């Protein structure tokens, strides 16, 4: 069976494709179906976040408690992660009158929208989304419980999917990642998918140093979930590494 391939994600807003759905695994290689903006906007609207268009033509959302923000910045000239443009930037602050966010999370196009939505739902469930209650092992435990493997050299901070096409690590962060902690050279979580060694990344996600580990673990557990996801268009970069069937 052949499925249509999508070399790149579309810009917001996206138009639904009339083609058939496929059940696809693994999730981390399934891409975003070109609807990362639409699905996350729907998730935020359903949970009561308010939205408006900024002067930079980005879409900005604010949570009901005023502590969390989410911005679709695909149309902005933001920095790159793994040579990919930014799509969503999500942040939280400890108090409504805080001038700067405590942490920021960044997601590029191609990130499975289910994982970004699960991260946002975990943020939404918190009355204090800027507080870190758990250690880094929360993320590693979430991944290994779903079959990811600890790195031989860095077993406490890095894990790989069984096919070695996706990684999740705690370490130095790229330039441009903003955090409430002003100290230089901070470490944080990063995730990426490289379907073929040396080929372009399918997607990247980065969490600034102060992002609570349990929230990152919610994203990690969703990315690593064995449950199939529905897609109309499959990412060209993952061709040959996906298992899919027609959705009934």
């Amino acid at each position: 069976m052949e499925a249509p391939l999508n070399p790149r994600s579309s810009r917001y807003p996206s138009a639904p494709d009339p083609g058939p759905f496929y059940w696809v695994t693994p999730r981390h290689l399934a891409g975003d179906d070109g609807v990362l903006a639409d699905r996350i906007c729907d998730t935020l609207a359903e949970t009561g976040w308010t939205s408006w268009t900024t002067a930079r033509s980005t879409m900005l959302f604010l949570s009901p408690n005023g502590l969390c923000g989410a911005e679709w910045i695909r149309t902005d000239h933001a920095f790159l992660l793994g040579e990919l443009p930014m799509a969503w930037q999500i942040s939280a602050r400890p108090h409504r009158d805080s001038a700067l966010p405590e942490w920021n999370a960044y997601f590029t196009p191609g990130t499975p929208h289910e994982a970004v939505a699960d991260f946002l739902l975990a943020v939404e469930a918190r009355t204090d989304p800027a507080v870190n209650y758990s250690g880094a092992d929360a993320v590693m435990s979430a991944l290994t419980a779903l079959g990811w493997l600890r790195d031989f050299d860095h077993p406490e901070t890095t894990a790989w999917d069984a096919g070695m096409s996706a990684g999740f690590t705690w370490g130095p962060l790229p330039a441009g990642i903003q955090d409430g902690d002003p100290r230089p050279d901070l470490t944080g979580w990063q995730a990426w998918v490289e379907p073929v060694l040396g080929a372009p990344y399918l997607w990247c996600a980065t969490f600034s140093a102060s992002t609570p580990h349990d929230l990152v673990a919610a994203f990690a557990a969703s990315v690593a979930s064995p449950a199939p996801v529905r897609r109309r268009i499959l990412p060209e970069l993952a061709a040959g590494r996906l298992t899919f069937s027609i959705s009934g």
Side-chain angles (χ1 to χ4, degrees):
M1 181 188 302
E2 294 186 359
L5 300 176
N6 182 19
R8 287 289 181 267
S9 298
S10 63
R11 293 177 60 175
Y12 179 84
S14 58
D17 189 294
F21 277 110
Y22 302 87
W23 287 113
V24 180
T25 58
R27 180 177 298 189
H28 64 269
L29 287 171
D32 64 6
D33 214 15
V35 294
L36 181 59
D38 300 313
R39 293 294 178 266
I40 301 308
C41 287
D42 290 346
T43 297
L44 294 171
E46 289 167 2
T47 52
W49 292 45
T50 56
S51 66
W52 62 92
T53 302
T54 71
R56 296 175 296 143
S57 298
T58 67
M59 287 290 295
L60 181 63
F61 291 78
L62 185 67
S63 65
N65 62 14
L67 299 180
C68 304
E71 188 172 11
W72 171 257
I73 56 177
R74 182 67 179 86
T75 56
D76 195 17
H77 298 290
F79 60 89
L80 303 178
L81 286 178
E83 300 302 318
L84 296 172
M86 299 307 308
W88 282 100
Q89 179 176 346
I90 298 166
S91 61
R93 52 185 178 168
H95 309 288
R96 291 176 65 98
D97 57 356
S98 299
L100 297 174
E102 186 74 6
W103 57 261
N104 288 278
Y106 306 83
F107 306 91
T108 72
T111 308
H113 52 78
E114 295 88 355
V116 181
D118 285 341
F119 176 77
L120 277 165
L121 292 175
V123 171
E124 172 72 20
R126 286 279 218 100
T127 57
D128 47 3
V131 179
N132 202 347
Y133 290 112
S134 58
D137 196 57
V139 178
M140 295 297 294
S141 295
L143 292 167
T144 56
L146 293 168
W148 284 41
L149 309 173
R150 291 181 183 265
D151 184 83
F152 182 79
D153 294 317
H154 306 284
E156 302 304 317
T157 58
T158 302
W160 302 89
D161 78 295
M164 301 298 288
S165 61
F168 220 111
T169 190
W170 170 264
L173 295 172
I177 302 302
Q178 300 176 350
D179 192 78
D181 188 332
R183 291 176 297 173
D185 303 322
L186 295 174
T187 55
W189 288 106
Q190 295 186 78
W192 67 94
V193 168
E194 187 181 16
V196 179
L197 185 63
Y201 292 107
L202 177 58
W203 59 264
C204 298
T206 299
F207 305 84
S208 73
S210 299
T211 310
H213 297 295
D214 64 295
L215 299 182
V216 182
F219 175 81
S222 186
V223 163
S225 171
V229 292
R230 293 212 312 173
R231 295 289 187 268
R232 283 193 172 100
I233 301 178
L234 309 182
E236 186 175 15
L237 291 172
R241 307 204 66 174
L242 293 168
T243 299
F244 58 92
S245 60
I246 291 288
S247 174

